[in-house]
Amino acid sequence: MADADEGVVSGIAQRGRNLLADEVIGLIERRDTTEDPGVPRETLDAYADALAERPNFDVDPEQFSGAIDERLTDAENWAGTDTLYDLDGRISAYPPAWHEELGGSTDVEAYLTLVEEASTDSGEESLDTGTGEGVSEEWLLDAVTTVGRVKRDEAKEALEAARSEGQIDEGPDQHPGAGVRIAERDE
């Protein structure tokens, strides 16, 4: 039987009961990682049980499982926000194509390229708009941490390196919700 990491359970509980299923899966996937992308269903069930035991958290494991099922798709590419992806029996907040193309990578520019393509393909203006154009820095760091299967510090270092090399640009609001985008280049 799979176990839930108490630190991850506490982190989820601190974020509050109003988290969406994909946000909870993302937190588990980022913090309870293995070499393989995604999280086994048994592990998610263990987290639902652990959260149900938390006072004042009010999680019904069956409803949690149903929320996963409602959002689960076998799509290979981005299928929109609040979607979860089946990775051969493991569940991820990110599509299989992203794991295949960028698994283990911290190439921030490549992540932004995928996000731009996904936004164009899905018709969404941006997958996670910050206060300006682009993708929120926090969302980007989450993606690099999860898909790249690296620690948050490594993802931040990759972001800073891309910034200092002029690969990325940010909007005028320099807080975590500021939009990060690929820098325009002189041709």
Side-chain angles (χ1 to χ4, degrees):
M1 169 133 184
D3 292 324
D5 179 288
E6 185 55 37
V8 176
V9 172
S10 293
I12 293 168
Q14 288 175 353
R15 300 272 305 265
R17 292 184 292 185
N18 295 326
L19 289 174
L20 299 174
D22 63 312
E23 293 172 318
V24 173
I25 304 304
L27 286 167
I28 295 168
E29 189 175 12
R30 274 191 296 287
R31 295 184 182 158
D32 196 46
T33 60
T34 65
E35 290 182 19
D36 296 320
V39 181
R41 187 60 175 256
E42 306 81 53
T43 301
L44 297 176
D45 291 343
Y47 276 95
D49 291 340
L51 288 166
E53 293 174 7
R54 287 283 192 171
N56 302 322
F57 202 71
D58 195 28
V59 169
D60 180 328
E62 287 184 34
Q63 286 180 341
F64 182 75
S65 182
I68 292 170
D69 291 339
E70 288 172 10
R71 290 162 178 79
L72 195 60
T73 182
D74 60 358
E76 285 295 311
N77 290 297
W78 188 257
T81 55
D82 201 23
T83 301
L84 297 170
Y85 300 88
D86 183 358
L87 306 177
D88 297 322
R90 297 174 71 90
I91 298 169
S92 177
Y94 301 93
W98 291 22
H99 287 283
E100 288 171 22
E101 189 169 333
L102 293 173
S105 171
T106 58
D107 183 347
V108 172
E109 189 173 15
Y111 281 89
L112 287 171
T113 299
L114 274 180
V115 168
E116 187 176 287
E117 289 171 3
S119 295
T120 302
D121 292 346
S122 70
E124 294 184 29
E125 189 173 309
S126 177
L127 296 184
D128 188 297
T129 306
T131 57
E133 291 182 24
V135 176
S136 84
E137 184 173 308
E138 288 302 308
W139 191 93
L140 179 61
L141 288 171
D142 288 347
V144 174
T145 300
T146 306
V147 176
R149 292 187 292 288
V150 297
K151 300 269 186 223
R152 187 75 164 195
D153 291 344
E154 289 179 67
K156 284 182 180 180
E157 287 173 15
L159 179 66
E160 290 303 320
R163 191 179 282 136
S164 68
E165 293 168 9
Q167 294 175 335
I168 64 169
D169 224 358
E170 290 181 289
D173 294 322
Q174 297 301 311
H175 58 77
V180 179
R181 59 188 172 273
I182 298 172
E184 292 185 25
R185 301 216 166 105
D186 295 330
E187 305 269 337

